[in-house]
């Protein structure tokens, strides 16, 4: 299984240059059954990464372009009256896919943003008092532009907390950008052979659940989370949901490293990606610097 994950990482590295670490973290989120938020400037490869993930996993894929006039029904679907049968029938929206790209999610209004909450949390949607189950596995990749850009609606903390990880792709390395300048631009519609099936992904997710986590590592996670609750520089500390996410993310990372047990290094590898969007520091600190400071202050178990 680890060899398949390596092949998957290499396959995605062919369509998005110089971002192996971010690709690995995105796969970690999928293995942990979490949803992914990509925040960066336009043109950084956010859409390319999500589309490549869907292709490499052989899963159904839909892209929803969030705009200011997008309605919840445009995402979830709607009941339409059938004149021949004289009854309403439900027409499923694009959320009924295994991989859903919510592109520029913070350009839509809060009501439309919240339409994804039940889907992300429970794997189903409620329409006209009826509940409809979404396909499995179900994975949401949302992208958002920086909040200082015009025409954006910030995601509330309650919705940010639904995302397992937040990643920033950042600018490509100089050698990768040279390839882009020379015209070696990855084609977004370039076919990527399916390396792992949806069934194999579910089997991997089941194996991630079996990865053991020792009491010392549990105490380490608790110490990291507790530190945010007593730090005067943090106005919104980490909740128990973050503790659970840290443990599951560390299990997934250990599984990708070929181990059936979690080490403190696994927690450290996923800590910033899982926690920085959940922490709300005071203005003098950035979220990234707070996460680095917490890792430096909390004692690592031997």
């Amino acid at each position: 299984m680890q060899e398949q994950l390596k092949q998957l990482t290499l396959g995605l590295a062919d369509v998005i240059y110089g971002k192996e670490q971010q690709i690995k973290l995105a796969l970690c989120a999928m293995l942990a059954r979490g949803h992914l938020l990509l925040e960066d400037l336009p043109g950084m490869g956010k859409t390319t990464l999500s589309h490549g993930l869907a292709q490499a996993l052989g899963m159904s894929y839909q892209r929803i372009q969030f705009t200011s006039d997008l309605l919840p029904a445009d995402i979830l679907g709607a009941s339409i009256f059938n004149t021949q049968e004289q009854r309403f029938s439900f027409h499923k929206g694009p959320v009924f896919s295994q991989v859903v790209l919510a592109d520029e999610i913070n350009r839509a209004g809060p009501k439309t943003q919240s339409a994804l909450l039940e889907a992300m949390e429970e794997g189903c949607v409620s329409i006209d008092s009826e509940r409809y189950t979404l396909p499995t596995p179900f994975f949401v990749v949302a992208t958002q532009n920086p909040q200082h850009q015009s025409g954006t609606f910030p995601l509330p903390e309650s919705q940010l907390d639904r995302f397992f990880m937040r990643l920033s792709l950042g600018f490509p390395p100089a050698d990768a950008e040279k390839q882009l300048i020379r015209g070696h631009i990855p084609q977004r519609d370039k076919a990527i052979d399916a390396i792992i099936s949806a069934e194999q992904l579910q089997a991997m997710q089941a194996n991630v659940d079996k990865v053991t986590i020792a009491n010392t590592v549990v105490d380490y996670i608790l110490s990291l989370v507790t530190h945010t609750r007593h730090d005067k520089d943090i106005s919104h500390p980490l909740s128990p949901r973050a503790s659970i996410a840290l443990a599951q993310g560390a299990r997934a990372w250990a599984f990708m490293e070929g181990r059936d047990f979690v080490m403190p290094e696994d927690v450290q590898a996923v800590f910033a990606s899982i926690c920085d969007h959940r922490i709300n520091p005071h203005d003098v600190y950035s979220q990234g610097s707070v996460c680095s400071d917490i890792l430096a202050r909390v004692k690592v178990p031997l």
Side-chain angles (χ1 to χ4, degrees):
M1 288 184 178
Q2 280 73 26
E3 184 60 33
Q4 287 178 308
L5 290 171
K6 284 183 180 179
Q7 293 177 11
L8 182 55
T9 303
L10 292 174
L12 290 171
D14 287 338
V15 297
I16 181 165
Y17 298 150
K19 300 299 176 184
E20 288 79 6
Q21 181 70 7
Q22 288 88 340
I23 291 171
K24 191 174 179 181
L25 285 167
L27 292 175
C28 177
M30 291 192 92
L31 290 172
R33 299 187 183 88
H35 304 291
L36 182 63
L37 179 63
L38 300 175
E39 182 180 77
D40 222 319
L41 296 169
M44 291 293 192
K46 303 184 295 293
T47 304
T48 303
L49 175 59
S50 61
H51 186 59
L53 278 170
Q55 282 190 316
L57 294 169
M59 297 164 64
S60 60
Y61 169 82
Q62 286 286 345
R63 173 182 175 178
I64 308 171
Q65 185 64 50
F66 278 63
T67 57
S68 58
D69 59 349
L70 192 73
L71 299 175
D74 298 326
I75 300 172
L76 306 179
S79 295
I80 300 176
F81 187 71
N82 189 321
T83 56
Q84 293 180 340
E85 299 179 5
Q86 293 295 302
R87 66 181 181 86
F88 285 92
S89 58
F90 178 64
H91 290 247
K92 295 180 178 179
V95 76
F96 285 87
S97 299
Q98 292 172 312
V99 178
V100 175
L101 170 61
D103 208 8
E104 296 185 309
I105 188 173
N106 60 337
R107 290 203 178 277
K111 186 175 182 180
T112 303
Q113 291 175 3
S114 64
L116 280 177
L117 283 179
E118 183 184 12
M120 293 169 61
E121 191 71 14
E122 301 182 20
C124 63
V125 297
S126 298
I127 305 290
D128 296 334
S129 302
E130 294 288 337
R131 285 169 67 88
Y132 299 90
T133 303
L134 297 171
T136 54
F138 178 68
F139 184 54
V140 172
V141 183
T143 71
Q144 67 172 354
N145 296 328
Q147 293 182 15
H148 64 266
Q149 292 194 342
S150 61
T152 59
F153 297 86
L155 295 177
E157 286 82 358
S158 59
Q159 190 165 344
L160 280 173
D161 199 36
R162 296 311 198 273
F163 287 100
F164 186 81
M165 279 187 183
R166 183 177 70 177
L167 299 178
S168 175
L169 295 179
F171 295 106
D175 56 344
E177 193 158 5
K178 285 181 181 179
Q179 295 187 54
L180 299 176
I181 295 171
R182 291 191 181 105
H184 302 155
I185 301 174
Q187 297 298 316
R188 185 175 298 172
D189 56 354
K190 176 185 175 182
I192 300 176
D193 294 332
I195 299 171
I196 299 174
S197 67
E199 291 75 19
Q200 289 173 318
L201 175 62
Q202 289 177 300
M204 290 180 182
Q205 290 172 336
N207 282 330
V208 167
D209 294 336
K210 298 176 184 177
V211 174
T212 59
I213 180 165
N215 289 334
T216 54
V217 180
V218 172
D219 292 338
Y220 180 51
I221 292 174
L222 185 60
S223 297
L224 290 169
V225 173
T226 304
H227 184 88
T228 68
R229 299 169 186 173
H230 300 291
D231 192 327
K232 65 181 185 303
D233 297 324
I234 298 174
S235 57
H236 289 118
L238 296 175
S239 69
R241 181 182 284 144
S243 306
I244 296 170
L246 267 177
Q248 192 66 6
R251 286 190 179 99
W253 193 267
F255 176 79
M256 296 177 70
E257 294 293 318
R259 286 182 275 102
D260 60 357
F261 60 93
V262 175
M263 298 175 62
E265 290 84 348
D266 302 318
V267 180
Q268 295 168 348
V270 299
F271 181 76
S273 300
I274 290 176
C275 296
D276 71 351
H277 63 290
R278 293 179 163 97
I279 294 175
N280 188 11
H282 294 300
D283 294 339
V284 291
Y285 294 95
S286 70
Q287 290 154 316
S289 64
V290 168
C291 287
S292 299
D293 186 56
I294 292 169
L295 288 175
R297 289 187 182 184
V298 176
K299 183 179 179 180
V300 180
L302 299 177

